[in-house]
Amino acid sequence: MRATPRGVAYGVPDYALCALRALEDAGFEAWVVGGWVRDALLGAPCHDVDITTSAHWREVKRVLGEKSIPVHETGTAHGTVTAVVDGKPIEITTYRVEGSYTDRRHPDEVTFVDDVSLDLARRDFTINAMAYHPERGLLDPFDGLADLGSGLIRAVGTPELRFNEDALRVLRAVRFACRLGFEVEASTQEALVRCADGLEDIALERIGQEVDGIVRTGRMGWALMAETKVLVRAVPEVGPMVGFDQRSPYHAFDVLEHTSRVCRAVEEFTGGAASPELRWAAFLHDVAKPVTFTQDETGRGHFFGHPKVGARMSEMVMRRLALPHDLVAPVRTLVRLHDHVVRPTPRSMRRTLLKFEGACPGRAASLAFALLDLKRADAVSKMPMCADYAVEIDGVERALRRELASGCVYRMRDLAVSGSDVIEATGIKPGPGVGLILKGLLSAVVNGELPNDRRTLIESMRIQ
Ligand code: ATP
Ligand code: MG
């Protein structure tokens, strides 16, 4: 993404103008700032509007309150309130500077100031340190527009000082570089590497938010190679992957480079629209290779059990980073199944769907397709001779589509019998036993041992 550095691609939305005008009519100064300005200059989809103002937050509350605009005190310690106009939130923050950061996380104090350029100077990157006003135009004291044009992430001020103040900025730099497809400017990059250790002082859930943000850009493949040290500090399990020689005839690359290629390949196979779970699974699918590595007498490397161990490690990494269960569960399952054998047969497809349904109820079909994309990506990221497997997967995908279209059985509710049939046929009392019997029947139908026929299933229960 590159800016056409001529001006904003669209105007400040009316709901935000309403708050901005109210503040200025009351004699204060106000600017739109940060992400909205950056994205409007890039012509990227419209971003939430943040306003920065000379008004103290109490004044903001009073002025907007007089216009019947609801205002919530969302961060008054930092001078921030949130106004809601036409149902849309606008963060409004008083111009401020930050004191020293003795803990490298939180400023010891914030001081409100009356000059917008001081407020811009406390911001992290030049592209995030621009203010815009519909009449006064762009305020760009650090040449953010030029950096947007040339695709550079550059710290405002002395990079090392800025990263030492707040080490989270190290990950923010990588996230913005990934999101925008930018490079990190040379002196900012040097400081990133020198200051990455500071991430140790940052709360794990904040690191998790940023790493998840990086994964979701679809550019983790780039980040792993270009920003290795930063990622090793954020996710220490990446460390042993760096330069890990697989000693395998199937592998042309070390574990890190292979992983990076798989991350890139899942984007190629999905037209850049891989789901977050597929992106995370690509990132972590081989995380257990270093710990499961063995060599046979010929010197060849093996990684027995790495999908299973990797699934546990993926879960550990993601839980430590406080990521939500509905993301962790599918990632863990994709990692566990990434080497699972799939064939273009109805039975193989039903078995695969059954495994996903058991681990992530309701999401089996989309995860089965994600697994096939992961397998394709894995295949094209090994030795050239392995790439043919990606073509075989096309046949498997056709089989999966056919099975799903034919209404195949892989969920309890697809069975031709229900819990009450089980109770009636076996005389068993309602309880967990009923579920176990249904599970057994489902497995038999999925494996083709019994037809999904009500009478036959009831009969089979009677016999047992
Ligand atoms: P996003 O689309 O990711 O929300 P954004 O630019 O709006 O992008 P926010 O994290 O919402 O990013 O922060 C809003 C603005 O606040 C940023 O543009 C930047 O100017 C400033 N900012 C946020 N976090 C920091 C930080 N850790 N250090 C310095 N400035 C920051
Ligand atoms: Mg934002």
Side-chain angles (χ1 to χ4, degrees):
M1 203 185 289
R2 287 289 183 274
T4 21
R6 281 186 214 108
V8 295
Y10 38 78
V12 177
D14 286 345
Y15 72 91
L17 272 184
C18 168
L20 188 120
R21 299 262 185 251
L23 289 166
E24 298 213 319
D25 289 348
F28 299 103
E29 188 183 67
W31 298 81
V32 178
V33 74
W36 186 91
V37 181
R38 178 194 68 227
D39 288 355
L41 287 166
L42 285 170
C46 201
H47 189 281
D48 299 342
V49 180
D50 296 329
I51 287 178
T52 184
T53 178
S54 60
H56 187 279
W57 67 265
R58 287 185 201 282
E59 296 295 329
V60 175
K61 224 182 145 185
R62 180 183 60 78
V63 168
L64 299 187
E66 281 166 8
K67 304 251 170 191
S68 307
I69 297 174
V71 176
H72 305 283
E73 297 184 16
T74 44
T76 51
H78 299 103
T80 303
V81 293
T82 302
V84 182
V85 182
D86 294 339
K88 299 192 188 71
I90 312 150
E91 274 204 355
I92 304 177
T93 305
T94 308
Y95 297 161
R96 64 167 211 238
V97 292
E98 292 170 351
S100 53
Y101 282 69
T102 35
D103 65 355
R104 290 202 197 148
R105 275 185 287 198
H106 304 292
D108 298 336
E109 71 218 340
V110 304
T111 311
F112 299 136
V113 293
D114 56 10
D115 180 355
V116 64
S117 39
L118 294 175
D119 181 272
L120 295 178
R122 71 155 171 100
R123 294 172 184 269
D124 47 8
F125 307 111
T126 60
I127 59 166
N128 289 345
M130 291 180 275
Y132 177 74
H133 186 280
E135 281 87 41
R136 297 191 294 272
L138 189 69
L139 187 61
D140 180 20
F142 306 103
D143 283 334
L145 187 59
D147 286 339
L148 267 188
S150 38
L152 286 177
I153 304 296
R154 183 195 309 270
V156 170
T158 310
E160 196 153 345
L161 287 179
R162 304 311 310 285
F163 294 131
N164 281 336
E165 272 172 10
D166 175 6
L168 193 70
R169 291 175 188 151
V170 165
L171 276 175
R172 286 176 59 86
V174 177
R175 176 164 65 82
F176 283 113
C178 285
R179 172 152 135 204
L180 303 170
F182 281 18
E183 298 281 314
V184 181
E185 173 277 326
S187 65
T188 303
Q189 174 62 30
E190 264 175 50
L192 275 191
V193 173
R194 273 202 302 273
C195 301
D197 289 347
L199 285 170
E200 275 168 29
D201 300 327
I202 301 289
L204 287 165
E205 64 269 21
R206 297 181 75 207
I207 294 183
Q209 287 291 306
E210 292 299 330
V211 175
D212 188 43
I214 293 170
V215 170
R216 283 170 192 261
T217 65
R219 289 214 174 86
M220 185 51 119
W222 171 83
L224 281 170
M225 301 313 288
E227 300 292 355
T228 310
K229 171 140 189 234
V230 173
L231 285 161
V232 169
R233 287 293 173 271
V235 182
E237 287 79 357
V238 173
M241 293 160 68
V242 182
F244 195 98
D245 182 350
Q246 309 203 50
R247 295 174 197 272
S248 157
Y250 299 119
H251 281 281
F253 309 106
D254 68 47
V255 177
L256 186 77
E257 186 169 352
H258 165 73
T259 301
S260 156
R261 284 169 180 260
V262 173
C263 290
R264 266 180 273 205
V266 293
E267 302 304 323
E268 276 160 33
F269 285 118
T270 57
S275 62
E277 36 278 338
L278 176 55
R279 287 175 170 165
W280 268 99
F283 169 35
L284 294 174
H285 76 288
D286 273 351
V287 68
K289 274 199 164 169
V291 296
T292 54
F293 179 71
T294 52
Q295 266 176 298
D296 62 25
E297 59 286 355
T298 67
R300 187 179 145 184
H302 298 279
F303 305 94
F304 299 118
H306 81 274
K308 205 168 160 195
V309 180
R312 276 205 303 273
M313 287 175 71
S314 301
E315 174 163 14
M316 211 174 71
V317 168
M318 295 180 79
R319 293 228 180 279
R320 187 175 69 223
L321 297 177
L323 294 166
H325 177 75
D326 65 354
L327 179 62
V328 179
V331 173
R332 178 187 59 202
T333 314
L334 284 166
V335 172
R336 179 163 59 85
L337 297 181
H338 82 267
D339 270 352
H340 163 76
V341 178
V342 286
R343 296 204 172 83
T345 63
R347 180 166 176 265
S348 175
M349 292 301 88
R350 289 195 304 263
R351 285 166 63 99
T352 304
L353 287 164
L354 179 69
K355 283 186 201 291
F356 278 118
E357 188 62 25
C360 308
R363 300 172 71 179
S366 68
L367 290 172
F369 284 111
L371 177 71
L372 299 187
D373 284 326
L374 180 58
K375 285 176 157 296
R376 286 185 174 104
D378 202 7
V380 299
S381 306
K382 299 182 180 178
M383 276 294 191
M385 65 178 178
C386 303
D388 285 351
Y389 183 62
V391 181
E392 273 177 48
I393 296 290
D394 292 347
V396 178
E397 188 173 302
R398 281 193 294 277
L400 177 61
R401 282 187 202 286
R402 270 198 307 273
E403 265 316 276
L404 286 166
S406 74
C408 69
V409 175
Y410 64 94
R411 298 163 294 199
M412 220 66 114
R413 67 177 150 105
D414 301 327
L415 276 178
V417 289
S418 65
S420 47
D421 295 322
V422 173
I423 293 167
E424 207 179 299
T426 61
I428 188 177
K429 289 210 171 62
V434 177
L436 280 179
I437 293 179
L438 283 172
K439 227 172 145 184
L441 290 175
L442 181 61
S443 158
V445 173
V446 164
N447 283 301
E449 292 151 16
L450 284 173
N452 190 29
D453 169 71
R454 189 175 148 78
R455 211 182 285 167
T456 319
L457 293 179
I458 288 178
E459 206 48 47
S460 80
M461 286 190 269
R462 291 223 171 95
I463 295 164
Q464 278 166 10

